[in-house]
Amino acid sequence: LSGTPAGKDVPMRAVFNLYVVVIAVGLVAAVLVALTDP
Amino acid sequence: MKTFIRENSLSLFFASIFLATIFAQSFAGQHAYNAELVHHDGSPVSWATYVTSAHYWGAVMENWQSEFLQFTLFIGATIWLVQKGSNESKRLQDIGIETDEQQKVGAHTVPRSPAWAKAGGLRRRVYENSLLLTMTTIFLATWLAQSLNHWHVFNDDQREHGATTVSWGRYLLDPDFWERTLQNWQSEFLAVGTMAVFTIYLRQRGSPESKPVGAPHDETASSG
């Protein structure tokens, strides 16, 4: 996304980051549960 | 705000229905799980207990891994494999990783090209494969998470029936793991193949997933 005029890519970056966070949270939660579920 | 929603409506729509359905799955899953527990003379669990259980996350990861595998294979396979007439395929003469000019790298970058595309060496190598590398990583990580959670569930079941528990390595060889894995893979592969073939002859006006309505059947990659 760099190369896009400054400030213009903020909304696109926001949805990109949203998806990265959702996937990362899901993965971390799944691994933690698998390793700690009694 | 209105502009933000309009410009990102596709990803916001899918994020919204994803959150709604994973939330709904947790309630449906809890009820199904509790019915099973009661049937085996156990006590029902709360929603909070269920959403922090291996049963729930195993089911979530089982589906995630197959979806990410689907796109991983689709991204990788479409570099080298084509389908004449399909909108999901590149043109037959473009098989392979294509020229620097087609890919706008090396001497062919444009002023607004990403910095890593303008860079040379390893940075560009990584960036030009970053989509496939990321999707592969997510596929492998979710498949690993599926195996760990279902291993947990499998051993709970073994204990309940007085059978011996198994190691994670042994579980990876068990039919339970492969049945759960392959039932998801087969449906993804059929769906991808169907999209590749159906877009030869069928159309959806206005969708970039379709060729233009009047495009000839033998025209490949009509919508780019």
Side-chain angles (χ1 to χ4, degrees):
Chain A
L1 298 178
S2 53
T4 308
K8 288 272 184 186
D9 69 339
V10 171
M12 289 187 300
R13 183 73 80 174
V15 289
F16 179 85
N17 290 344
L18 170 69
Y19 274 76
V20 171
V21 168
V22 165
I23 293 166
V25 167
L27 260 171
V28 170
V31 172
L32 281 178
V33 165
L35 298 179
T36 59
D37 196 31
Chain B
M1 188 58 161
K2 221 167 127 182
T3 308
F4 173 77
I5 291 172
R6 189 171 61 82
E7 289 184 351
N8 299 281
S9 54
L10 183 62
S11 46
L12 291 174
F13 168 69
F14 278 104
S16 302
I17 59 172
F18 161 72
L19 291 173
T21 49
I22 197 168
F23 196 57
Q25 182 197 338
S26 70
F27 284 102
Q30 182 206 358
H31 281 80
Y33 187 57
N34 280 341
E36 205 181 315
L37 284 174
V38 169
H39 184 69
H40 289 89
D41 300 323
S43 312
V45 297
S46 67
W47 178 80
T49 302
Y50 181 69
V51 293
T52 51
S53 72
H55 194 275
Y56 175 65
W57 285 102
V60 171
M61 290 295 113
E62 179 182 319
N63 284 273
W64 281 27
Q65 61 87 0
S66 64
E67 304 302 334
F68 284 100
L69 172 66
Q70 173 187 17
F71 284 107
T72 299
L73 285 180
F74 200 41
I75 296 160
T78 49
I79 301 169
W80 300 100
L81 306 177
V82 290
Q83 174 56 58
K84 185 175 178 181
S86 175
N87 200 52
E88 300 299 325
S89 168
K90 62 161 85 179
R91 294 179 308 162
L92 276 62
Q93 62 268 36
D94 292 335
I95 287 175
I97 56 172
E98 302 178 10
T99 63
D100 282 2
E101 189 178 2
Q102 285 172 299
Q103 290 292 317
K104 296 182 183 169
V105 290
H108 307 280
T109 56
V110 295
R112 290 172 60 237
S113 290
W116 282 49
K118 289 176 180 168
L122 182 64
R123 252 199 333 158
R124 202 185 89 195
R125 279 272 174 273
V126 170
Y127 190 64
E128 64 190 17
N129 295 294
S130 54
L131 183 60
L132 187 59
L133 287 171
T134 303
M135 297 300 266
T136 304
T137 304
I138 298 172
F139 157 61
L140 292 175
T142 47
W143 199 21
L144 171 69
Q146 176 206 329
S147 73
L148 290 171
N149 280 283
H150 280 151
W151 170 50
H152 215 296
V153 172
F154 183 82
N155 276 343
D156 282 348
D157 200 46
Q158 292 287 96
R159 276 188 218 98
E160 197 183 316
H161 293 92
T164 52
T165 57
V166 300
S167 67
W168 175 69
R170 170 69 188 74
Y171 178 67
L172 293 185
L173 302 173
D174 195 276
D176 181 79
F177 174 65
W178 285 102
E179 196 267 340
R180 290 173 183 278
T181 295
L182 296 173
Q183 68 163 322
N184 283 279
W185 287 7
Q186 55 85 10
S187 59
E188 306 301 340
F189 300 157
L190 176 66
V192 173
T194 302
M195 271 300 282
V197 171
F198 277 16
T199 58
I200 301 172
Y201 298 108
L202 306 178
R203 307 283 187 272
Q204 177 52 56
R205 184 171 183 153
S207 175
E209 298 306 311
S210 165
K211 295 198 276 194
V213 179
H217 293 324
D218 63 357
E219 188 175 286
T220 311
S222 305
S223 70

